[in-house]
Amino acid sequence: KQWYQRRVRGDQPHVYNQFLDIMKEFKSQSIDTPGVITRVSMLFRGRPDLISGFNTFLPNGYKIEVQHAGDGNQSKQAFNVTLNISSSGGANGQPNRVSFGKC
């Protein structure tokens, strides 16, 4: 977890402070797991390494997958973010998937 925090802090101090605020809300249960994932994905928009690295902080059964959107516009660097929730299981025993769209 420390490597991740150093990476976030190294980018921009104000982004790191926003990240800490989000984590405080998550720890105090002001926001739930999908809520924290949404906020972190928006905060780190265009940084798939930081979005997928956030898996370190997620409870068991949750996993963020980040894939290049492949829309042909390389300058915007859009990525599709999907949350897999395996603890509750979906139809046929498959994990539930929630798509957050492009980040």
Side-chain angles (χ1 to χ4, degrees), residues 46-101:
R47 293 292 311 270
D49 57 325
L50 295 178
I51 295 171
S52 62
F54 189 70
N55 282 317
T56 303
F57 296 93
L58 295 178
N60 289 336
Y62 289 86
K63 183 178 181 204
I64 301 171
E65 293 179 0
V66 181
Q67 297 177 339
H68 193 275
D71 60 3
N73 189 351
Q74 296 295 327
S75 63
K76 290 194 177 186
Q77 294 296 315
F79 296 87
N80 291 320
V81 177
T82 303
L83 169 63
N84 286 319
I85 307 169
S86 61
S87 59
S88 57
N92 301 324
Q94 296 297 314
N96 290 319
R97 295 174 64 84
V98 178
S99 178
F100 291 93

Side-chain angles (χ1 to χ4, degrees), residues 1-11 16 19-20 23 50 57:
K1 292 181 181 182
Q2 290 179 350
W3 66 267
Y4 184 81
Q5 290 176 325
R6 280 193 299 269
R7 186 124 188 220
V8 172
R9 187 180 318 125
D11 273 3
Y16 180 67
F19 172 73
L20 291 179
M23 292 305 293
L50 295 178
F57 296 93

